[in-house]
Amino acid sequence: MENLPDRPHPHAHLRASDIDRDQVVDVLREALMSGRLTQEEHAERLEQTLEAKTLGELEPITRDLVVLGQPAPTAQPAAAASTSLVPIEEPADPDQSFDTMVAIFGGGERKGRWRVKRRTNAFAVFGGHDLDMTDAVFEGREVTIYAFAVFGGIDITVPEGVTVRNEGVGIFGGFGARGSDDPDPNAPVVVVKGLALFGGVGGQSSAKRHGKKHKPKGHHELH
């Protein structure tokens, strides 16, 4: 008797959100830590996750690991005007606030007046990234950096007042970036997730790196 085809995902045609991808990334990380996936399998499935556009493309990635319940899309409330000294400019299309950086046997750098997307994927394989957000514009009150350092390093510098929340894992490596010692409740929050494998993900505030303090409200340097 021939095998029956898998039942199609009831919402396979729907666009995948960052929350949907984050759920899959968390499952893959746990599978790697528990030994259910090899490093090569984890890297391959992680790439598939980050490239997935629909729920139907995400579902097979963890089919043999954990059955994920896909949350229904929820409307986001309109953001109130920011009173943070760190510039926050909501994007016209939040779904397009996405960036990917890759450094393989080389290095990448972001500094000056650049825009920190709501989600940034940074891969460093035998290479490194320097993400200096001192004078950057944030496209959300909370932004997420997915940092994956394999025999490489990723350094993150945040403006004064910005809080950093570490949710990554270090395996034979270090994972931990520090935010400001004097957090501003109106400033953005940078969530750092991912994996450091024989490498390091770290960071500091701009005061520790550059000696920069808060600028007067309403004044921001342009570079």
Side-chain angles (χ1 to χ4, degrees), residues 46-200:
L46 178 62
E47 183 178 359
Q48 294 173 355
T49 301
L50 299 178
E51 292 178 350
K53 301 298 183 184
T54 65
L55 297 181
E57 293 174 350
L58 278 179
E59 192 271 337
I61 297 174
T62 56
R63 181 178 295 159
D64 59 341
L65 299 174
V66 172
V67 177
L68 289 178
Q70 299 290 349
T74 57
Q76 298 296 323
S82 171
T83 58
S84 169
L85 296 177
V86 179
I88 300 174
E89 295 181 7
E90 298 288 340
D93 185 355
D95 290 337
Q96 297 301 316
S97 188
F98 183 91
D99 194 11
T100 297
M101 304 170 59
V102 179
I104 302 177
F105 292 101
E109 182 182 55
R110 294 284 176 88
K111 64 179 181 179
R113 190 72 162 179
W114 62 289
R115 300 185 70 87
V116 181
K117 304 294 185 179
R118 291 191 173 192
R119 178 189 175 111
T120 298
N121 298 321
F123 298 88
V125 182
F126 293 100
H129 282 300
D130 183 3
L131 307 182
D132 188 349
M133 305 176 186
T134 301
D135 298 301
V137 175
F138 290 74
E139 291 196 352
R141 292 179 180 272
E142 179 174 298
V143 300
T144 302
I145 309 294
Y146 268 92
F148 298 93
V150 181
F151 292 99
I154 298 175
D155 188 52
I156 300 169
T157 303
V158 300
E160 286 306 297
V162 170
T163 299
V164 174
R165 193 164 74 236
N166 285 289
E167 298 181 3
V169 176
I171 303 177
F172 297 105
F175 200 110
R178 292 189 58 187
S180 173
D181 292 334
D182 185 20
D184 178 355
N186 297 310
V189 174
V190 176
V191 182
V192 185
K193 298 185 177 184
L195 175 70
L197 180 63
F198 293 99

Side-chain angles (χ1 to χ4, degrees), residues 7 21 27 38 74 76 203:
R7 179 177 299 178
R21 297 187 188 90
V27 171
T38 66
T74 57
Q76 298 296 323

